[in-house]
């Protein structure tokens, strides 16, 4: 069953999925509303960010008509729809509101529906008509509501697009920042001069978008030893020497009283408590620390170019640069010490060059694995240890996961994974991670707890945390045979190495995070497109489940539909990713009913309308939900309510059955975003199938009514004709004769109405199996011959211009004959006597072209838009007495479009019209139609 509404709706959604150009799509929506809902005007008011005002965004009305384009919530019918979030119909100009812009614009009827998305009002969609007596029905409201969902999806997709672009932009900026840091540090490391190096750091900070930068190196007691500045006039340097950071602030800092102002390694002390902008008097600085205690200097930075108060994200690159500066100072000091000592030992020189090389390698690479392998390698080489393990902290800080191992470690530790990390309360590694301090042991017996996964010969152990800004990112652990391994000297080397590795790790984290964000956005974006690309309910469900499982990287996903009458859920679809289709979790079959009692977790999800994260091992042993999860082998799940326009549609469940999993907040957010898109898609598909059902019933009724009417009508017509023939013998007077003539005309028009309806219905439901390949030109000649009587009756001149060698078409002969008959018939009908009619048939631009030109009454522009609608008749002066049903052109359009072509027309009132269509040529029947 094909219908223009469904086609139209389908095209709308296809357009959205294909290329969501918002302006174009909204225009398309505008068009669709007017055609489907049958109204003269439409308007789309969008809610602004304040959620208090509406702005007219798309409309086909002349702006002068509607003077007020901005409305407050509650103002006029549109405002009331927005405020109450419910649909409203106004008929017969019964406007309820005093200051009603629509009344002022002389509209007599309107139907408005709210556009809601994720529980937020996005706008109002309104169909309007200015003709007196126009009435909107509930069915119009349904159609509008469906289109409002489309608009909501469109607006959201558009927003998503913007965010997407923004993320991509941020990412590029982030990359640029990382590059800045890299170049700065690389240059710094190639240049042995400390002053030149630090100048490099200050310049790099400025290049990142900050104002003047001062770097002070401290001698004892925080007196400034050396001052490095950019952008600061020489006369100010004197004051700075007295204290880079104002004395009172520095004192508070030393006493640990500025911790609430700390952002990463920086301290930001605004002059005023509130505000978003940087103000004169604000102080931003970072102490340059060596290890936990020593402060070797300070960096102070002035107002950023964007004049906003600094955030964690903005300060992170600065942090990395500050750490680099601290290490550079440390290197220089080490070098100095070494140079002072007369007998510089060979291995100390080597150590220094190792650190130097480490610095270069670490800052040159964003590849964590490579950097950590190098770190491990240097650690072993320098200390003479034979076994080593570098483990990283999991994102949720639950434990450690081995990244690099060297030597022979027990398998137990290698089995640890992101899901099952090494617990922080165990072993020397845990101790180093929780204390943040280096742990050194010698002479440990093999059965000692700390020797748990170490080789049997090991006797000494050292564990060094990789820490950045007080946060432990990982731990390096080494074991050696010699029980006197890991001298003070070696451990401090390890600490220095660890600090550098931490910087590299942090840098790579920064990079990975932004990549991850971009990935997430891309996944969401493509999932939302996949979900909204179709209207078939089963297909929609399938796509939702699949997109959710894939985007969340879970083993399966399930959609439960809510039935309000029975207060139960039905399993609508279950999707398992390919690789685990036969394994792990046992999920209910589609079609199964689930009550709240059977799955108590549903209650919470639906009542609070909030997502719920379930993790089997977090639940107590006797908990019924845990029992269900265990029986069915589900280890973790997120349950998200699916709500569209305030109505609960169901619950989306993403499930992990392969292993334990902790869902992060951003993952839950991702699931929620997907679920809300899915809700709208699901609701649309439900409405769509309702409309399908309605259309089916309507067609059925038309068919039944016309079949049942046709026979009795033919009977009546027979008797009337009989009467008309015997008028004289019956002795009727002229009045009575006129009555009978009226009867005859009325019945005739009923007959043609029914004939047209049936033809249209047949064209719509006819199967393509009856199609054939034929010569359309021959058919045109046939039709012209058939209408010849009418042409002669009206003394028209009809000519045919027919090109030779036009390819054949593949299609229905009956349907195309009817279409051509209607077009030529209309030209004959709507042209006054002695008119000129020219029929043309030919082949241009790879298409078969047919047209009929007449010099008849023509159609005025304001009536042209609706010509192809069913039952529409354009009443022009002179044509009101011409009988017709308003179904002819609608049939032409249906038939031509079913054959893959398009109709067109041009008309000028009083001068004439040209109606035509083109069709694609088909020599061979296509394989599948
Ligand atoms: P009908 O002819 O039965 O009214 P159609 O669907 O064939 O219905 O045409 C719709 C309307 O378009 C007509 O009522 C008429 O007003 C207008 N129309 C169609 N063809 C022509 C034409 N060739 N010249 C002028 N008006 C036309």
């Amino acid at each position: 069953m094909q219908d223009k509404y469904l086609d139209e709706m389908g095209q709308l959604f296809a357009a959205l999925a294909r290329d969501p150009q918002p302006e174009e799509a909204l225009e398309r929506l505008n068009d669709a509303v007017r055609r489907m809902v049958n109204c003269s005007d439409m308007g789309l008011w969008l809610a602004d960010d304040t959620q208090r005002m509406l702005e007219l965004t798309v409309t086909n009305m002349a702006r002068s008509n509607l003077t007020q384009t901005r409305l407050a919530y509650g103002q006029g019918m549109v405002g009331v729809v927005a405020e109450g979030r419910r649909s409203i119909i106004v008929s017969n100009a019964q406007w309820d509101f005093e200051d009603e812009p629509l009344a002022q614009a002389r509209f007599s009827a309107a139907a408005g529906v709210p556009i809601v998305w994720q529980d937020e009002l996005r706008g109002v969609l309104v169909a309007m008509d200015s003709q007196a007596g126009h009435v909107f029905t509930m069915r119009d409201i349904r159609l509008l509501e469906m289109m409002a969902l489309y608009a909501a999806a469109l607006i959201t997709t558009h927003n998503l697009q913007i965010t997407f672009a923004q993320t991509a932009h941020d990412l590029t900026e982030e990359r640029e920042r990382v590059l800045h840091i890299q170049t700065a540090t690389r240059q710094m490391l190639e240049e042995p001069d400390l002053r030149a190096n630090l100048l490099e750091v200050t310049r790099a900070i400025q290049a990142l978008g900050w104002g003047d930068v001062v770097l002070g190196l401290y001698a004892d007691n925080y007196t400034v030893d050396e001052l490095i500045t950019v952008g600061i006039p020489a006369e100010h340097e004197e004051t700075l020497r007295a204290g880079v950071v104002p004395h009172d602030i520095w004192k508070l800092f030393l006493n640990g009283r500025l911790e609430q102002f700390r952002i990463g390694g920086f301290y930001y002390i605004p002059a005023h408590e509130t505000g978003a902008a940087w103000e004169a008097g604000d102080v931003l600085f970072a102490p340059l620390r060596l290890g936990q205690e020593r402060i070797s200097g300070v960096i102070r930075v002035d107002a950023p170019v964007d004049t906003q108060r600094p955030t964690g994200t903005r300060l992170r690159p600065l942090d990395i640069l500050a750490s680099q500066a601290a290490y550079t100072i440390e290197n220089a000091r080490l070098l100095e010490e070494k140079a002072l000592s007369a007998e510089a030992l060979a291995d100390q020189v080597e150590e220094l060059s190792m650190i130097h090389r480490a610095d270069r390698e670490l800052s040159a690479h964003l590849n964590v694995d490579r950097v950590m392998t190098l770190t491990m390698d240097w650690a072993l080489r320098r200390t003479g240890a034979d076994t080593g393990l570098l483990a990283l902290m999991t994102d949720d800080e639950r434990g450690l996961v081995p990244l690099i191992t060297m030597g022979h470690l027990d398998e137990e530790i290698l089995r640890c994974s992101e899901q099952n990390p090494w617990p922080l309360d165990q072993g020397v590694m845990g101790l180093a991670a929780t204390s943040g301090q280096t742990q050194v042991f010698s002479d440990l017996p093999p059965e000692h707890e700390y020797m748990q996964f170490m080789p049997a010969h090991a006797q000494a152990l050292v564990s060094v945390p990789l820490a950045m800004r007080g946060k432990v990112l990982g731990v390096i652990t080494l074991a050696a045979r010699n029980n006197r391994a890991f001298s003070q000297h070696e451990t401090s080397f390890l600490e220095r190495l660890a600090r550098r590795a931490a910087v590299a790790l942090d840098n790579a984290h920064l990079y990975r995070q932004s990549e991850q964000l971009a990935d997430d956005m891309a996944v969401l974006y493509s999932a939302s497109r996949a979900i909204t690309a179709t209207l078939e309910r089963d297909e929609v469900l399938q796509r939702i489940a699949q997109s959710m499982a894939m985007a969340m990287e879970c083993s399966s996903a399930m959609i439960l539909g809510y039935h309000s009458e029975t207060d139960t859920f039905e399993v609508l679809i279950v999707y398992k990713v390919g690789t685990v289709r036969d394994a792990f979790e046992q999920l209910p079959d589609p079609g199964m009913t689930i009550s709240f009692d059977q799955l108590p977790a549903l209650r919470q999800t639906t009542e609070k309308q909030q997502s719920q994260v379930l993790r089997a091992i977090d639940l107590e042993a006797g908990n019924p939900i845990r029992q269900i999860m265990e029986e069915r082998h589900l280890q973790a799940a997120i349950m998200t309510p699916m709500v569209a326009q305030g109505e609960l549609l169901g619950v989306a469940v993403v499930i992990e059955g392969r292993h334990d999993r902790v869902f992060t907040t951003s993952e839950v957010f991702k699931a929620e975003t997907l679920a809300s898109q899915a809700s709208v898609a699901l609701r649309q598909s439900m409405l769509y199938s309702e409309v399908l059902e309605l259309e089916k019933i309507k067609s059925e009724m038309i068919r039944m009514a016309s079949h049942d009417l046709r026979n009795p009508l033919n009977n009546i017509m027979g008797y009337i004709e009989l009467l008309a023939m015997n008028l004289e013998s019956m002795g009727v007077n002229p009045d009575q004769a006129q009555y009978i003539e009226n009867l005859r005309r009325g019945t005739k028009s009923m007959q043609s109405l029914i004939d047209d309806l049936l033809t249209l219905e047949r064209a719509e439901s006819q199967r393509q199996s009856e199609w054939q390949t034929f010569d359309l030109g021959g058919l045109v000649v046939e039709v012209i011959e058939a209408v010849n009587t009418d042409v002669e009756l009206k003394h028209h001149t009809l000519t045919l211009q027919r090109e030779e060698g036009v390819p054949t078409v593949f299609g229905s002969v009956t349907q195309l004959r009817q279409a051509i008959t209607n077009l030529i018939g209309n030209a004959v009908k709507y042209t006054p006597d002695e008119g000129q009619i020219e029929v043309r048939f030919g082949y241009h631009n790879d298409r078969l072209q047919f047209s009929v030109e007449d010099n008849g009454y023509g159609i005025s522009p304001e009536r042209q838009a609706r010509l192809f609608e069913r039952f529409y008749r354009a009443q022009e002066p002179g044509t009101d007495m011409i009988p017709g049903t308003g179904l002819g052109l609608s049939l032409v359009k249906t038939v031509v479009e079913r054959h893959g072509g398009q109709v067109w027309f041009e008309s000028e009132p009083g001068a004439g019209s040209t109606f035509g269509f083109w069709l694609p040529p088909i020599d061979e029947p296509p394989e599948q139609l």
Side-chain angles (χ1 to χ4, degrees):
M1 177 79 36
Q2 195 93 9
D3 187 275
K4 66 172 184 174
Y5 298 130
L6 304 184
D7 275 355
E8 192 107 36
M9 225 31 137
Q11 277 167 18
L12 272 176
F13 285 105
L16 169 68
R18 216 173 29 241
D19 185 25
Q21 282 303 323
E23 286 85 27
E24 240 171 69
L26 285 173
E27 280 306 332
R28 203 186 269 272
L29 174 74
N30 175 347
D31 244 36
V33 168
R34 279 187 297 138
R35 259 175 303 156
M36 289 202 242
V37 179
N38 183 18
C39 56
S40 60
D41 300 276
M42 95 104 200
L44 177 69
W45 274 263
L46 287 190
D48 72 0
D49 288 341
T50 64
Q51 287 276 303
R52 277 202 304 272
M53 295 299 287
L54 296 158
E55 176 85 40
L56 183 60
T57 312
V58 180
T59 178
N60 69 303
M61 299 177 267
R63 288 274 166 142
S64 55
N65 229 3
L66 201 73
T67 42
Q68 254 174 305
T69 57
R70 252 177 96 74
L71 293 176
Y73 283 22
Q75 184 185 0
M77 172 193 143
V78 177
V80 172
V81 170
E83 198 170 55
R85 294 194 184 188
R86 58 186 175 84
S87 307
I88 296 182
I89 297 183
V90 172
S91 303
N92 301 323
Q94 303 277 311
W95 302 103
D96 271 349
F97 319 105
E98 269 189 13
D99 175 28
E100 175 59 71
L102 296 186
Q104 287 156 13
R106 296 182 196 288
F107 285 110
S108 65
V113 300
I115 302 172
V116 179
W117 178 272
Q118 284 189 334
D119 210 33
E120 209 174 88
L121 186 94
R122 296 294 161 100
V124 176
L125 182 65
V126 189
M128 292 157 285
D129 207 287
S130 38
Q131 252 175 25
H134 189 100
V135 172
F136 286 105
T137 62
M138 272 322 284
R139 186 168 171 284
D140 292 336
I141 290 279
R142 290 324 279 275
L143 279 169
L144 281 172
E145 279 175 353
M146 194 152 156
M147 286 185 275
L149 286 173
Y150 163 80
L154 197 67
I155 297 165
T156 311
T157 308
H158 178 50
N159 289 346
L160 213 58
Q161 245 181 345
I162 292 176
T163 331
F164 186 61
Q166 185 60 38
T167 315
H169 178 77
D170 289 351
L171 184 67
T172 328
E173 275 195 348
E174 202 69 66
R175 281 202 191 114
E176 223 148 70
R177 264 180 233 159
V178 172
L179 280 179
H180 258 301
I181 298 173
Q182 276 188 308
T183 5
T185 50
R186 215 172 299 156
Q187 275 175 1
M188 217 156 86
L189 294 162
E190 271 153 17
E191 174 71 59
D193 176 15
L194 178 66
R195 208 187 147 80
N197 283 340
L198 296 179
L199 197 56
E200 218 38 76
V201 172
T202 48
R203 286 205 185 117
I205 291 180
Q206 258 203 338
L208 286 168
W210 296 84
D212 305 337
V213 183
V214 184
L215 198 154
L217 288 188
Y218 287 138
D220 296 337
N221 265 335
Y222 309 114
T223 51
V224 177
D225 202 12
E226 175 106 51
L227 199 65
I228 291 131
T229 60
V230 274
I232 292 179
E235 61 265 31
H236 287 180
E237 294 213 352
E238 243 1 82
T239 4
L240 285 172
R241 270 183 196 283
V244 175
V245 176
H247 273 296
D248 43 343
I249 293 185
W250 189 249
K251 231 160 81 199
L252 289 173
F253 160 71
L254 288 179
N255 292 334
R257 307 231 325 256
L258 286 187
E259 282 314 291
Q260 79 261 36
F261 296 106
R262 195 163 73 84
I263 309 174
F266 272 80
Y267 291 81
Y268 172 63
I269 301 98
H272 298 104
E273 259 176 53
T274 49
W278 176 289
E279 285 173 41
D282 288 7
V283 177
L284 175 66
F285 72 92
L288 302 178
R289 288 179 204 266
L290 286 181
Q292 301 285 338
E293 305 296 325
R294 263 173 60 210
I295 294 175
S296 58
V298 67
I299 293 185
R300 182 170 167 192
V301 182
D302 205 2
V305 282
D306 66 3
T307 71
Q308 293 302 300
R309 287 190 172 189
T311 59
T313 333
R314 286 286 323 262
L315 288 177
R316 278 190 72 178
L318 264 59
D319 248 355
I320 296 175
L321 283 171
S323 313
Q324 292 284 5
Y327 301 141
T328 315
I329 298 168
E330 190 188 9
N331 278 357
R333 296 248 155 104
L334 271 171
L335 192 66
E336 239 165 65
E337 276 169 28
K338 299 279 148 82
L340 286 179
S341 115
E343 59 240 61
L345 290 173
D347 76 338
Q348 282 176 322
V349 175
E350 192 199 327
E351 177 188 320
L352 201 64
S353 79
M354 218 183 256
I355 287 277
H356 189 69
R357 272 189 44 215
D359 276 340
R360 291 176 62 151
E361 291 281 355
L362 293 180
S363 51
H365 292 280
L366 284 171
N367 178 338
V368 178
D369 281 7
R370 175 165 157 75
V371 170
M372 296 304 131
T373 310
L374 287 174
T375 307
M376 216 41 211
D377 187 47
W378 286 316
L380 288 187
R381 267 203 279 158
R382 180 77 183 97
T383 59
D386 58 13
T387 311
L389 166 74
L390 194 155
L392 296 186
M393 187 71 91
T394 56
D395 286 342
D396 53 7
E397 299 185 19
R398 273 193 307 145
L400 295 157
V401 182
L403 178 72
I404 313 284
T405 56
M406 290 186 177
H408 298 284
L409 287 161
D410 202 271
E411 275 199 5
E412 184 201 355
I413 181 74
L414 302 179
R415 273 198 297 271
C416 288
S417 64
E418 192 75 21
Q419 273 72 33
N420 263 320
W422 178 265
L424 294 182
D425 57 0
Q426 275 180 36
V428 66
M429 220 160 69
L431 186 59
T434 43
S435 65
Q437 304 284 344
T438 304
Q439 306 293 329
V440 197
F441 298 94
S442 53
D443 248 339
L444 286 178
E447 63 278 6
H448 191 274
E449 183 212 338
Y450 291 169
M451 286 297 182
Q452 225 173 349
F453 48 81
M454 292 297 168
H457 61 247
Q459 287 182 297
L461 212 53
V462 63
S463 216
V464 187
L466 301 175
M468 183 83 190
R469 297 190 298 269
K471 213 175 130 186
V472 174
L473 307 175
V475 177
I476 300 179
T477 308
L478 303 179
R481 282 169 200 274
N482 179 353
N483 68 2
R484 279 201 310 274
F486 311 125
S487 63
Q488 169 70 42
H489 208 79
E490 282 166 346
T491 27
S492 62
F493 166 77
L494 283 177
E495 284 174 350
R496 281 197 293 275
L497 193 62
R499 284 207 293 274
R500 285 153 173 81
V503 174
L505 211 53
D506 203 39
N507 209 339
H509 257 305
L510 183 75
Y511 194 71
R512 229 190 24 231
Q513 266 176 7
S514 50
E515 298 257 86
Q516 180 66 43
L517 186 63
D519 279 358
D520 278 2
M521 287 307 300
V523 166
L524 271 183
Y525 185 56
S526 70
S528 82
R529 285 178 68 151
I531 291 174
T532 46
T534 171
L535 276 178
E536 295 296 337
R537 184 165 169 276
D538 291 349
E539 175 91 23
V540 168
L541 283 169
Q542 177 72 26
R543 283 176 185 228
I544 292 173
Q546 186 175 352
S547 308
M548 289 194 92
M550 304 293 245
M552 301 295 301
E553 289 169 27
C554 277
S555 60
S556 54
M558 178 168 79
I559 308 290
L560 306 177
Y562 175 65
H563 294 291
S564 56
E565 322 84 59
T566 49
D567 201 24
T568 55
F569 288 85
E570 180 194 337
V571 180
L572 297 179
I573 193 150
V574 173
Y575 176 86
K576 284 189 180 183
V577 299
T579 44
V580 293
R581 208 145 272 171
D582 311 313
F584 306 108
E585 62 263 43
Q586 289 163 12
L587 299 173
D589 292 324
M592 220 181 95
T593 304
I594 299 182
S595 69
F596 281 109
D597 295 339
Q598 281 166 310
L599 194 52
L602 280 172
R603 175 83 59 198
Q604 220 179 341
T605 309
T606 52
E607 272 177 9
K608 290 200 187 145
Q609 300 215 340
Q610 247 176 26
S611 301
Q612 231 190 123
V613 181
L614 301 173
R615 183 172 168 227
I617 62 169
D618 277 348
L619 299 165
E620 277 165 29
N623 186 305
I625 298 177
R626 176 165 178 165
Q627 274 174 6
I628 295 175
M629 290 182 78
E630 277 171 357
E631 277 162 26
R632 293 186 169 269
H633 304 285
L634 320 177
Q635 309 223 34
I638 306 180
M639 298 175 81
T640 312
M642 296 177 64
V643 180
Q645 304 208 305
E647 184 190 337
L648 176 69
L649 304 179
V651 172
V653 194
V654 285
I655 298 154
E656 186 49 80
R658 294 167 292 194
H659 42 67
D660 177 35
R661 175 161 171 184
V662 177
F663 288 106
T664 62
T665 330
S666 72
E667 283 172 330
V668 175
F669 174 72
K670 201 155 119 186
E672 284 172 352
T673 311
L674 285 171
S676 63
Q677 301 230 336
S679 315
V680 170
L682 191 60
R683 173 119 182 99
Q684 267 164 351
S685 76
M686 278 156 58
L687 283 172
Y688 179 74
S689 47
E690 267 177 44
V691 174
L692 262 183
E693 194 52 38
L694 275 178
E695 292 303 328
K696 210 158 123 190
I697 293 172
K698 190 198 69 190
S699 300
E700 207 46 45
M701 279 182 54
I702 291 180
R703 214 193 338 252
M704 270 169 28
S706 9
H707 273 292
D708 290 355
L709 280 175
R710 193 141 83 148
N711 290 339
L713 256 187
N714 282 346
N715 271 341
I716 295 173
M717 196 60 190
Y719 286 112
I720 293 177
E721 298 284 2
L722 213 62
L723 276 177
M725 282 193 308
N726 296 314
L727 286 184
E728 274 180 32
S729 59
M730 295 189 318
V732 297
N733 62 33
D735 275 353
Q736 289 167 327
Q738 185 57 47
Y739 298 158
I740 292 177
E741 177 51 26
N742 289 351
L743 255 184
R744 204 182 68 90
R745 234 194 270 141
T747 316
K748 184 102 195 114
S749 79
M750 272 164 87
Q751 246 182 347
S752 42
L753 182 68
I754 286 170
D755 282 347
D756 284 356
L757 267 176
L758 279 175
T759 323
L760 190 62
E761 193 53 45
R762 258 203 306 275
E764 286 185 344
S765 56
Q766 201 192 32
R767 308 194 144 262
Q768 288 181 342
S769 55
E770 294 157 23
W771 285 21
Q772 63 191 78
T773 306
F774 66 97
D775 170 27
L776 193 66
L779 195 65
V780 174
V781 175
E782 247 179 61
V783 172
I784 290 179
E785 277 163 11
V787 297
N788 199 28
T789 338
D790 297 333
V791 173
E792 281 178 356
L793 225 72
K794 294 189 77 175
H795 307 288
H796 289 321
T797 318
L798 191 154
T799 49
L800 169 66
Q801 277 191 28
R802 180 187 178 191
E803 268 178 35
E804 290 304 317
V806 176
T808 49
V809 288
F810 177 73
S812 157
V813 179
T814 2
Q815 288 180 21
L816 285 170
R817 179 187 290 119
Q818 191 66 51
I820 295 171
T821 308
N822 287 0
L823 290 184
I824 300 182
N826 277 351
V828 175
K829 239 176 19 173
Y830 296 107
T831 303
D833 287 2
E834 292 176 4
Q836 301 282 340
I837 297 171
E838 183 158 319
V839 179
R840 290 186 207 99
F841 178 70
Y843 190 69
H844 315 281
N845 304 331
D846 299 332
R847 290 163 169 179
L848 282 87
Q849 311 274 359
F850 170 87
S851 67
V852 193
E853 183 177 350
D854 63 48
N855 62 349
Y857 298 107
I859 307 148
S860 46
E862 64 272 19
R863 299 199 180 89
Q864 290 182 4
R866 302 177 57 188
L867 280 188
F868 290 91
E869 277 178 28
R870 285 186 198 182
F871 300 113
Y872 183 78
R873 307 204 63 213
Q875 308 281 4
E876 296 289 339
T879 72
D880 26 351
M881 292 305 287
I882 298 173
T885 61
L887 286 171
L889 288 179
S890 148
L891 178 113
V892 174
K893 186 167 186 281
T894 307
V895 168
V896 169
E897 287 177 358
R898 290 203 98 200
H899 285 78
Q902 242 173 17
V903 290
W904 57 269
F905 73 95
E906 282 165 7
S907 184
E908 207 181 304
S913 322
T914 310
F915 280 80
F917 63 79
W918 60 261
L919 288 180
I922 306 174
D923 292 322
E924 293 294 314
E927 306 228 325
Q928 193 110 50
L929 257 176

